Amino acid sequence: MIVKIPKIDEIPLEEQTSWVLTLLECLNALAEENKALRDEIARLKGGKTRPKIKPSNSLEGGRKKIKAHVAFQGLF
């Protein structure tokens, strides 16, 4: 059973009590632990775990190009 855990900004402000916030934190922690345990079970059984994919640096590379371009234009 897959349950979508709502993000805090999806909950109306009047319903954001400390109890609701605590429960959301617990749900997120349990979901992360569940993922880790499923990966460990798969690893122990000799199966494949989720690939560890690093975040893309394409945005940072684009910023570097823009800064270099602006610096180059300043020379003329």
Side-chain angles (χ1 to χ4, degrees):
M1 181 167 109
I2 298 175
V3 177
K4 181 183 176 279
I5 300 173
K7 299 205 182 304
I8 191 67
D9 55 347
E10 294 173 356
I11 299 173
L13 199 55
E14 59 274 358
E15 293 179 14
Q16 291 183 17
T17 64
S18 62
W19 182 243
V20 170
L21 298 177
T22 303
L23 288 174
L24 283 175
E25 288 176 11
C26 289
L27 281 173
N28 285 324
L30 288 172
E32 289 296 320
E33 183 180 9
N34 191 355
K35 249 190 250 184
L37 290 172
R38 287 179 184 269
D39 285 344
E40 184 176 0
I41 289 169
R43 182 185 59 82
L44 292 172
K45 286 184 173 181
K48 294 183 179 180
T49 60
R50 274 186 268 270
K52 299 199 191 278
I53 301 173
K54 294 182 181 179
S56 173
N57 291 333
S58 62
L59 184 60
E60 287 184 18
R63 289 181 185 156
K64 289 178 186 176
K65 288 179 184 176
I66 292 171
K67 287 180 183 178
H69 182 69
V70 170
F72 184 73
Q73 283 183 340
L75 295 174
F76 296 104

Coordinates of all heavy atoms in Angstrom, one line a residue:
M1 N 0.8 -1.2 0.0 CA 0.0 0.0 0.0 C 0.9 1.2 0.0 O 1.8 1.4 0.9 CB -0.9 0.0 1.3 CG -1.8 1.1 1.4 SD -3.0 0.9 2.6 CE -2.5 2.0 3.8
I2 N 0.7 2.1 -1.0 CA 1.4 3.3 -1.1 C 0.6 4.5 -0.6 O -0.5 4.7 -1.1 CB 1.9 3.6 -2.5 CG1 2.8 2.4 -3.0 CG2 2.6 4.9 -2.6 CD1 3.2 2.5 -4.4
V3 N 1.1 5.3 0.4 CA 0.4 6.4 0.9 C 1.3 7.6 0.6 O 2.4 7.6 0.9 CB 0.2 6.2 2.4 CG1 -0.5 7.5 3.0 CG2 -0.7 5.0 2.7
K4 N 0.6 8.7 0.1 CA 1.4 9.9 -0.2 C 1.4 10.7 1.1 O 0.4 11.0 1.7 CB 0.6 10.7 -1.2 CG 1.4 12.0 -1.6 CD 0.6 12.8 -2.6 CE 1.2 14.1 -2.8 NZ 0.9 15.1 -1.8
I5 N 2.6 11.0 1.6 CA 2.8 11.8 2.8 C 2.7 13.3 2.4 O 3.5 13.7 1.5 CB 4.1 11.5 3.5 CG1 4.2 10.0 3.9 CG2 4.3 12.4 4.7 CD1 5.5 9.6 4.4
P6 N 1.8 14.0 2.9 CA 1.7 15.4 2.4 C 2.8 16.3 2.9 O 3.4 16.0 4.0 CB 0.4 15.9 3.1 CG 0.2 15.0 4.2 CD 0.8 13.7 3.9
K7 N 3.2 17.2 2.1 CA 4.2 18.2 2.5 C 3.5 19.2 3.4 O 2.3 19.4 3.3 CB 4.8 18.9 1.3 CG 5.5 17.9 0.4 CD 6.6 18.5 -0.4 CE 7.3 17.6 -1.4 NZ 7.8 16.4 -0.8
I8 N 4.3 19.9 4.3 CA 3.7 20.8 5.3 C 3.0 21.9 4.6 O 2.0 22.4 5.1 CB 4.8 21.3 6.2 CG1 4.2 22.0 7.4 CG2 5.8 22.2 5.5 CD1 3.4 21.2 8.3
D9 N 3.5 22.4 3.4 CA 2.8 23.5 2.8 C 1.5 23.1 2.1 O 0.7 24.0 1.7 CB 3.7 24.2 1.8 CG 4.3 23.3 0.8 OD1 4.2 22.1 0.9 OD2 4.8 23.8 -0.2
E10 N 1.2 21.8 2.0 CA -0.1 21.3 1.5 C -1.2 21.3 2.5 O -2.3 21.1 2.2 CB 0.1 19.9 0.9 CG 1.1 19.9 -0.3 CD 1.4 18.5 -0.8 OE1 0.9 17.5 -0.1 OE2 2.1 18.3 -1.8
I11 N -0.8 21.4 3.8 CA -1.8 21.4 4.9 C -2.2 22.8 5.2 O -1.3 23.7 5.4 CB -1.2 20.7 6.1 CG1 -0.8 19.2 5.8 CG2 -2.2 20.7 7.3 CD1 0.0 18.5 6.9
P12 N -3.5 23.0 5.3 CA -4.0 24.4 5.6 C -3.4 24.9 7.0 O -3.2 24.1 7.9 CB -5.5 24.3 5.7 CG -5.8 23.0 4.9 CD -4.6 22.1 5.0
L13 N -3.1 26.1 7.1 CA -2.4 26.7 8.3 C -3.2 26.4 9.5 O -2.6 26.1 10.6 CB -2.3 28.2 8.1 CG -1.2 28.9 8.9 CD1 0.1 28.2 8.8 CD2 -1.1 30.3 8.6
E14 N -4.5 26.4 9.5 CA -5.3 26.2 10.7 C -5.3 24.8 11.2 O -5.6 24.5 12.3 CB -6.8 26.6 10.5 CG -7.5 25.9 9.4 CD -7.4 26.6 8.0 OE1 -6.7 27.6 7.9 OE2 -7.9 26.0 7.1
E15 N -4.8 23.9 10.3 CA -4.7 22.4 10.7 C -3.3 22.1 11.1 O -3.0 20.9 11.4 CB -5.2 21.6 9.5 CG -6.7 21.7 9.2 CD -7.1 20.8 8.1 OE1 -6.3 19.9 7.7 OE2 -8.2 21.0 7.6
Q16 N -2.4 23.0 11.0 CA -1.0 22.7 11.3 C -0.7 22.8 12.8 O 0.0 23.7 13.3 CB 0.0 23.6 10.6 CG 0.0 23.4 9.1 CD 1.0 24.3 8.4 OE1 1.9 24.9 9.0 NE2 0.9 24.4 7.1
T17 N -1.2 21.9 13.6 CA -0.9 21.9 15.0 C 0.4 21.2 15.3 O 1.0 20.6 14.4 CB -2.1 21.1 15.8 OG1 -2.0 19.7 15.3 CG2 -3.4 21.7 15.5
S18 N 0.9 21.3 16.5 CA 2.2 20.7 16.8 C 2.0 19.2 16.7 O 3.0 18.5 16.3 CB 2.6 21.1 18.2 OG 1.7 20.6 19.2
W19 N 0.9 18.6 17.0 CA 0.7 17.2 16.9 C 0.8 16.7 15.4 O 1.4 15.7 15.1 CB -0.7 16.8 17.5 CG -1.0 15.4 17.5 CD1 -2.1 14.8 16.8 CD2 -0.3 14.3 18.1 NE1 -2.0 13.4 17.0 CE2 -1.0 13.1 17.9 CE3 0.8 14.3 19.0 CZ2 -0.6 11.9 18.4 CZ3 1.2 13.1 19.5 CH2 0.5 11.9 19.2
V20 N 0.2 17.5 14.5 CA 0.2 17.1 13.1 C 1.7 17.2 12.6 O 2.1 16.3 11.9 CB -0.7 18.1 12.3 CG1 -0.4 17.9 10.8 CG2 -2.1 17.8 12.6
L21 N 2.4 18.2 13.0 CA 3.8 18.4 12.6 C 4.7 17.2 13.1 O 5.5 16.7 12.4 CB 4.4 19.7 13.0 CG 3.6 21.0 12.5 CD1 4.2 22.2 13.1 CD2 3.7 21.0 11.0
T22 N 4.4 16.8 14.4 CA 5.1 15.7 14.9 C 4.9 14.4 14.2 O 5.8 13.6 13.9 CB 4.8 15.5 16.4 OG1 5.1 16.8 17.1 CG2 5.5 14.4 17.1
L23 N 3.6 14.2 13.9 CA 3.2 13.0 13.1 C 3.9 13.0 11.7 O 4.3 11.9 11.3 CB 1.7 12.9 13.0 CG 1.0 12.5 14.3 CD1 -0.5 12.5 14.1 CD2 1.4 11.1 14.8
L24 N 3.9 14.1 11.1 CA 4.5 14.2 9.7 C 6.0 13.9 9.8 O 6.6 13.2 9.0 CB 4.3 15.6 9.1 CG 3.0 15.8 8.5 CD1 2.8 17.2 8.0 CD2 2.7 14.9 7.4
E25 N 6.7 14.4 10.9 CA 8.1 14.1 11.0 C 8.3 12.6 11.3 O 9.2 12.0 10.7 CB 8.7 14.9 12.2 CG 8.8 16.3 12.0 CD 9.3 17.1 13.2 OE1 9.7 16.4 14.2 OE2 9.3 18.3 13.2
C26 N 7.5 12.0 12.1 CA 7.5 10.5 12.3 C 7.3 9.7 11.0 O 8.0 8.8 10.8 CB 6.5 10.1 13.4 SG 6.9 10.7 15.0
L27 N 6.3 10.1 10.3 CA 6.0 9.4 9.0 C 7.2 9.5 8.0 O 7.6 8.5 7.4 CB 4.8 10.0 8.3 CG 3.5 9.6 8.9 CD1 2.3 10.4 8.2 CD2 3.2 8.1 8.6
N28 N 7.8 10.7 7.9 CA 9.0 10.8 7.1 C 10.2 10.0 7.5 O 10.8 9.4 6.7 CB 9.4 12.3 6.9 CG 8.4 13.1 6.1 OD1 7.9 12.5 5.1 ND2 8.2 14.3 6.4
A29 N 10.4 10.0 8.8 CA 11.5 9.1 9.4 C 11.2 7.7 9.1 O 12.1 6.9 8.8 CB 11.6 9.4 10.9
L30 N 10.0 7.2 9.3 CA 9.7 5.8 9.1 C 9.8 5.4 7.6 O 10.2 4.3 7.3 CB 8.3 5.5 9.6 CG 8.1 5.5 11.2 CD1 6.7 5.4 11.6 CD2 8.9 4.4 11.8
A31 N 9.4 6.3 6.8 CA 9.5 6.1 5.3 C 11.0 5.9 4.9 O 11.3 5.0 4.1 CB 8.8 7.2 4.5
E32 N 11.9 6.8 5.4 CA 13.3 6.7 5.1 C 13.9 5.3 5.7 O 14.6 4.7 5.0 CB 14.0 7.8 5.7 CG 13.8 9.2 5.0 CD 14.3 9.1 3.6 OE1 15.4 8.6 3.3 OE2 13.5 9.6 2.7
E33 N 13.5 5.0 6.9 CA 13.9 3.8 7.5 C 13.4 2.5 6.7 O 14.2 1.6 6.5 CB 13.5 3.6 9.0 CG 14.0 2.4 9.7 CD 13.5 2.3 11.1 OE1 12.6 3.1 11.5 OE2 14.0 1.4 11.8
N34 N 12.2 2.6 6.3 CA 11.6 1.5 5.5 C 12.4 1.3 4.2 O 12.7 0.2 3.8 CB 10.2 1.8 5.2 CG 9.4 0.6 4.6 OD1 10.0 -0.4 4.3 ND2 8.1 0.8 4.4
K35 N 12.8 2.4 3.5 CA 13.6 2.4 2.3 C 14.9 1.7 2.5 O 15.4 0.9 1.8 CB 13.8 3.8 1.8 CG 13.1 4.1 0.5 CD 13.6 5.4 -0.1 CE 12.5 6.4 0.0 NZ 12.8 7.7 -0.5
A36 N 15.6 2.2 3.6 CA 16.9 1.6 4.0 C 16.8 0.1 4.3 O 17.7 -0.7 3.9 CB 17.5 2.4 5.2
L37 N 15.8 -0.3 5.0 CA 15.6 -1.7 5.3 C 15.3 -2.5 4.1 O 15.9 -3.6 4.0 CB 14.5 -1.9 6.4 CG 14.9 -1.4 7.8 CD1 13.6 -1.4 8.7 CD2 16.0 -2.1 8.4
R38 N 14.5 -2.0 3.2 CA 14.2 -2.8 1.9 C 15.5 -2.9 1.1 O 15.8 -4.0 0.5 CB 13.2 -2.1 1.1 CG 11.8 -2.2 1.7 CD 10.8 -1.4 0.8 NE 9.5 -1.5 1.4 CZ 8.6 -2.4 1.2 NH1 8.9 -3.4 0.3 NH2 7.4 -2.4 1.7
D39 N 16.3 -1.9 1.1 CA 17.6 -2.0 0.4 C 18.5 -3.0 1.0 O 19.2 -3.7 0.3 CB 18.3 -0.6 0.3 CG 17.7 0.4 -0.7 OD1 16.9 -0.1 -1.5 OD2 17.9 1.6 -0.6
E40 N 18.6 -3.0 2.3 CA 19.4 -3.9 3.0 C 19.0 -5.4 2.8 O 19.8 -6.3 2.6 CB 19.5 -3.6 4.5 CG 20.4 -4.5 5.3 CD 20.5 -4.2 6.8 OE1 19.9 -3.2 7.2 OE2 21.3 -4.8 7.5
I41 N 17.7 -5.6 2.8 CA 17.1 -6.9 2.6 C 17.5 -7.4 1.2 O 18.0 -8.5 1.0 CB 15.6 -7.0 2.8 CG1 15.3 -6.8 4.3 CG2 15.0 -8.2 2.2 CD1 13.8 -6.6 4.6
A42 N 17.4 -6.5 0.2 CA 17.7 -6.8 -1.2 C 19.2 -7.1 -1.3 O 19.6 -8.1 -2.0 CB 17.3 -5.7 -2.1
R43 N 20.0 -6.4 -0.6 CA 21.5 -6.6 -0.7 C 21.8 -7.9 0.0 O 22.6 -8.7 -0.6 CB 22.2 -5.5 0.1 CG 23.7 -5.6 0.0 CD 24.4 -4.5 0.9 NE 24.0 -4.5 2.3 CZ 24.5 -5.4 3.2 NH1 25.4 -6.2 2.9 NH2 24.1 -5.3 4.5
L44 N 21.2 -8.3 1.1 CA 21.5 -9.5 1.8 C 21.0 -10.7 1.0 O 21.6 -11.8 1.0 CB 20.8 -9.5 3.2 CG 21.5 -8.6 4.2 CD1 20.6 -8.5 5.4 CD2 22.9 -8.9 4.5
K45 N 19.9 -10.5 0.2 CA 19.5 -11.6 -0.6 C 20.3 -11.7 -1.9 O 20.0 -12.7 -2.7 CB 18.0 -11.4 -1.0 CG 17.0 -11.7 0.2 CD 15.6 -11.5 -0.3 CE 14.6 -11.9 0.7 NZ 13.2 -11.7 0.2
G46 N 21.2 -10.8 -2.1 CA 22.0 -10.8 -3.3 C 21.3 -10.1 -4.5 O 21.8 -10.2 -5.6
G47 N 20.3 -9.4 -4.2 CA 19.6 -8.7 -5.3 C 20.2 -7.3 -5.5 O 21.2 -6.9 -4.9
K48 N 19.6 -6.6 -6.3 CA 20.0 -5.2 -6.6 C 19.4 -4.2 -5.7 O 18.2 -4.3 -5.4 CB 19.7 -4.8 -8.1 CG 20.4 -5.6 -9.1 CD 20.1 -5.1 -10.5 CE 20.9 -5.9 -11.5 NZ 20.6 -5.4 -12.8
T49 N 20.2 -3.2 -5.2 CA 19.6 -2.1 -4.5 C 19.5 -1.0 -5.4 O 19.9 -1.0 -6.5 CB 20.6 -1.7 -3.3 OG1 21.8 -1.3 -3.9 CG2 20.8 -2.9 -2.3
R50 N 18.9 0.1 -4.9 CA 18.7 1.3 -5.7 C 20.1 1.9 -6.0 O 21.0 1.9 -5.2 CB 17.9 2.3 -4.9 CG 16.4 2.2 -5.1 CD 15.8 3.4 -4.4 NE 15.5 3.0 -3.0 CZ 14.4 2.5 -2.6 NH1 13.4 2.3 -3.4 NH2 14.2 2.2 -1.3
P51 N 20.3 2.3 -7.3 CA 21.6 3.0 -7.6 C 21.7 4.3 -6.9 O 20.7 5.0 -6.7 CB 21.5 3.2 -9.1 CG 20.0 3.2 -9.4 CD 19.4 2.3 -8.4
K52 N 22.9 4.6 -6.5 CA 23.2 5.9 -5.8 C 23.6 6.9 -6.9 O 24.7 6.8 -7.4 CB 24.3 5.7 -4.8 CG 23.9 4.7 -3.7 CD 24.8 4.9 -2.5 CE 24.6 3.8 -1.6 NZ 23.6 3.6 -0.7
I53 N 22.7 7.7 -7.2 CA 22.8 8.7 -8.3 C 23.1 10.0 -7.7 O 22.3 10.5 -6.9 CB 21.6 8.7 -9.2 CG1 21.4 7.4 -9.8 CG2 21.8 9.8 -10.3 CD1 20.1 7.3 -10.6
K54 N 24.2 10.6 -8.1 CA 24.6 12.0 -7.6 C 23.7 13.0 -8.3 O 23.4 12.9 -9.5 CB 26.0 12.3 -7.8 CG 27.0 11.4 -7.0 CD 28.4 11.8 -7.3 CE 29.3 10.8 -6.5 NZ 30.7 11.2 -6.7
P55 N 23.4 14.1 -7.6 CA 22.6 15.2 -8.3 C 23.4 15.8 -9.4 O 24.6 15.8 -9.4 CB 22.4 16.2 -7.1 CG 23.0 15.7 -5.9 CD 23.7 14.4 -6.2
S56 N 22.7 16.3 -10.4 CA 23.3 16.9 -11.5 C 23.9 18.2 -11.2 O 23.4 19.0 -10.4 CB 22.2 17.1 -12.6 OG 22.8 17.8 -13.7
N57 N 25.1 18.5 -11.7 CA 25.8 19.7 -11.5 C 25.6 20.7 -12.7 O 26.3 21.6 -12.9 CB 27.3 19.5 -11.3 CG 27.5 18.8 -9.9 OD1 26.7 19.0 -9.0 ND2 28.6 18.1 -9.8
S58 N 24.6 20.3 -13.6 CA 24.5 21.1 -14.8 C 24.1 22.6 -14.5 O 24.5 23.5 -15.2 CB 23.4 20.5 -15.7 OG 22.2 20.5 -15.1
L59 N 23.4 22.8 -13.4 CA 23.0 24.2 -13.1 C 24.2 25.0 -12.7 O 24.4 26.1 -13.1 CB 21.9 24.2 -12.0 CG 21.4 25.5 -11.5 CD1 20.7 26.2 -12.7 CD2 20.4 25.4 -10.4
E60 N 25.1 24.4 -11.9 CA 26.3 25.1 -11.4 C 27.2 25.3 -12.6 O 27.8 26.4 -12.7 CB 27.0 24.2 -10.4 CG 26.3 24.2 -9.0 CD 27.1 23.5 -8.0 OE1 28.3 23.3 -8.2 OE2 26.5 23.1 -7.0
G61 N 27.3 24.4 -13.5 CA 28.1 24.5 -14.7 C 27.7 25.7 -15.6 O 28.4 26.5 -16.1
G62 N 26.3 25.9 -15.6 CA 25.8 27.0 -16.4 C 26.1 28.3 -15.7 O 26.4 29.3 -16.4
R63 N 26.1 28.3 -14.4 CA 26.4 29.6 -13.7 C 27.9 30.0 -13.9 O 28.2 31.1 -14.1 CB 26.1 29.4 -12.2 CG 24.7 29.3 -11.9 CD 24.5 29.2 -10.4 NE 23.1 29.0 -10.1 CZ 22.6 28.5 -9.0 NH1 23.4 28.0 -8.1 NH2 21.3 28.4 -8.8
K64 N 28.7 29.0 -13.9 CA 30.2 29.2 -14.2 C 30.4 29.8 -15.5 O 31.1 30.8 -15.7 CB 31.0 28.0 -14.0 CG 31.1 27.5 -12.6 CD 31.9 26.2 -12.5 CE 31.9 25.7 -11.1 NZ 32.6 24.4 -11.0
K65 N 29.6 29.3 -16.5 CA 29.8 29.8 -17.9 C 29.3 31.2 -18.0 O 29.9 32.1 -18.6 CB 29.0 28.9 -18.9 CG 29.6 27.6 -19.1 CD 28.7 26.8 -20.1 CE 29.3 25.4 -20.2 NZ 28.4 24.6 -21.1
I66 N 28.2 31.5 -17.3 CA 27.6 32.9 -17.3 C 28.6 33.9 -16.7 O 28.9 34.9 -17.2 CB 26.3 32.9 -16.6 CG1 25.2 32.2 -17.4 CG2 25.8 34.4 -16.4 CD1 23.9 32.0 -16.7
K67 N 29.2 33.5 -15.5 CA 30.2 34.3 -14.8 C 31.4 34.6 -15.7 O 31.9 35.7 -15.8 CB 30.6 33.7 -13.5 CG 29.5 33.8 -12.4 CD 30.0 33.2 -11.2 CE 28.9 33.2 -10.1 NZ 29.4 32.5 -8.9
A68 N 31.9 33.5 -16.4 CA 33.0 33.7 -17.3 C 32.7 34.6 -18.4 O 33.5 35.4 -18.8 CB 33.5 32.3 -17.7
H69 N 31.5 34.4 -19.0 CA 31.1 35.2 -20.1 C 31.0 36.7 -19.7 O 31.4 37.6 -20.4 CB 29.7 34.7 -20.6 CG 29.2 35.5 -21.8 ND1 29.9 35.4 -23.1 CD2 28.2 36.3 -22.0 CE1 29.2 36.2 -23.9 NE2 28.2 36.7 -23.3
V70 N 30.4 37.0 -18.5 CA 30.3 38.4 -18.0 C 31.7 38.9 -17.8 O 31.9 40.1 -18.1 CB 29.4 38.4 -16.8 CG1 29.5 39.8 -16.1 CG2 28.0 38.0 -17.1
A71 N 32.6 38.2 -17.2 CA 33.9 38.6 -16.9 C 34.6 38.9 -18.2 O 35.4 39.9 -18.4 CB 34.7 37.6 -16.1
F72 N 34.4 38.1 -19.3 CA 35.1 38.3 -20.6 C 34.6 39.5 -21.2 O 35.4 40.2 -21.8 CB 34.8 37.0 -21.4 CG 35.5 37.1 -22.8 CD1 36.9 36.9 -22.8 CD2 34.8 37.3 -23.9 CE1 37.5 36.9 -24.0 CE2 35.5 37.3 -25.1 CZ 36.8 37.2 -25.2
Q73 N 33.3 39.8 -21.1 CA 32.7 41.0 -21.8 C 33.2 42.2 -21.1 O 33.4 43.3 -21.7 CB 31.2 41.0 -21.7 CG 30.5 40.0 -22.7 CD 29.0 40.1 -22.6 OE1 28.5 40.5 -21.6 NE2 28.4 39.6 -23.6
G74 N 33.6 42.1 -19.8 CA 34.1 43.3 -19.1 C 35.4 43.7 -19.6 O 35.9 44.8 -19.3
L75 N 36.2 42.9 -20.3 CA 37.5 43.2 -20.8 C 37.5 44.1 -22.0 O 38.4 44.8 -22.2 CB 38.3 41.9 -21.1 CG 38.6 41.0 -20.0 CD1 39.2 39.7 -20.6 CD2 39.5 41.6 -19.0
F76 N 36.3 44.2 -22.7 CA 36.3 45.0 -23.9 C 35.4 46.2 -23.7 O 34.5 46.4 -23.2 CB 35.8 44.1 -25.1 CG 36.7 43.0 -25.4 CD1 36.5 41.7 -25.1 CD2 37.9 43.3 -26.1 CE1 37.3 40.7 -25.4 CE2 38.8 42.3 -26.4 CZ 38.5 41.0 -26.1

